[in-house]
Amino acid sequence: MPAASTTLRMLAVSVIASLTVTGCQTFEDAGVAMGRSELVNDLAARLDRALELTYSADYQLPGGQIAAIVQAQDPARSAYTYPGGRLTVTPEAITRCATTGARPECTLVSPPTPGSKPTVTLFGEANQQGLVTPPVVVGLLTAAALDPEAVIKQSDTTVAGHHAACVEVQSLSSDFTACVTTEGVLGSFTGPVDGKPMDLALSRYSATVDTSAFDPPASAVVVDRRPGGS
């Protein structure tokens, strides 16, 4: 299972367990009261389900820039493309590529140990370049749900032709809006991550993938830092 999947599953379990202890507050969604824990559980479950799917999603970033998330199964692997780089997680390696130079430069390191709990720091570069990843969104939802002062409002929208449930969060630590599609794909996100303003929206979703998304670019300079690598 790729790093994103393991991280997200562990965070989702943590959210549900914590909320069971602390209780929940309610808000109105089209006249129906929904507990805070129920909302977080629903969005986390959607994101978690998507980790078992094969799909590709393109995102529009500010200034006309684009990003993408690609996932495939058997074996489970994922790729995150963002301005200036790409992160790929497969059973063979974690590959980080910088694509700002004349030729892409990629570094391979050992993949996460099966069953281990990778941290969201794995996605730090993607976050800094404008692509907020699903595990990071789950972490923000967790913090908001555990904050008794947070105000959470729920709404529905359509993103790239797909229905999505959204939450608008206002708290002392962070104000953000996140939408998750019915398929479980991150539909949009607006707000700060690690102090950097973020704004992205799904522009295309497909249940098929180009498997070359998991390989280093053909012209890349590749450095293999795995034990026994060259």
Side-chain angles (χ1 to χ4, degrees), residues 28-33 154 156:
E28 298 296 320
D29 171 24
V32 178
Q154 196 264 346
D156 295 301

Side-chain angles (χ1 to χ4, degrees), residues 114-127:
S116 66
K117 181 185 176 184
T119 66
V120 294
T121 56
L122 178 67
F123 308 101
E125 179 65 20
N127 295 334

Side-chain angles (χ1 to χ4, degrees), residues 20-70:
T20 300
V21 174
T22 59
C24 63
Q25 299 176 356
T26 61
F27 56 93
E28 298 296 320
D29 171 24
V32 178
M34 178 183 289
R36 173 181 289 183
S37 60
E38 183 179 349
L39 172 65
V40 173
N41 185 30
D42 177 67
L43 294 185
R46 290 190 190 188
L47 288 168
D48 187 62
R49 270 199 312 271
L51 296 172
E52 300 175 357
L53 300 177
T54 293
Y55 78 88
S56 56
D58 294 339
Y59 292 91
Q60 187 67 50
L61 307 182
Q65 295 183 307
I66 60 174
I69 297 176
V70 181

Side-chain angles (χ1 to χ4, degrees), residues 80 82 87 96 119-133 136 193-194 196 198:
Y80 305 85
Y82 45 86
L87 169 70
R96 292 183 175 89
T119 66
V120 294
T121 56
L122 178 67
F123 308 101
E125 179 65 20
N127 295 334
Q128 286 300 310
Q129 298 304 321
L131 176 59
V132 59
T133 57
V136 173
V193 174
D194 296 332
K196 178 182 175 63
M198 308 280 277

Side-chain angles (χ1 to χ4, degrees), residues 67-161:
I69 297 176
V70 181
Q71 289 186 176
Q73 311 300 322
D74 300 322
R77 53 211 191 277
S78 56
Y80 305 85
T81 303
Y82 45 86
R86 186 168 75 187
L87 169 70
T88 305
V89 182
T90 70
E92 292 75 35
I94 294 173
T95 305
R96 292 183 175 89
C97 296
T99 57
T100 54
R103 292 181 63 185
E105 298 181 0
C106 299
T107 302
L108 281 64
V109 298
S110 299
T113 302
S116 66
K117 181 185 176 184
T119 66
V120 294
T121 56
L122 178 67
F123 308 101
E125 179 65 20
N127 295 334
Q128 286 300 310
Q129 298 304 321
L131 176 59
V132 59
T133 57
V136 173
V137 175
V138 172
L140 291 171
L141 289 170
T142 304
L146 298 176
D147 181 355
E149 302 299 323
V151 177
I152 302 178
K153 299 179 181 179
Q154 196 264 346
S155 61
D156 295 301
T157 190
T158 300
V159 184

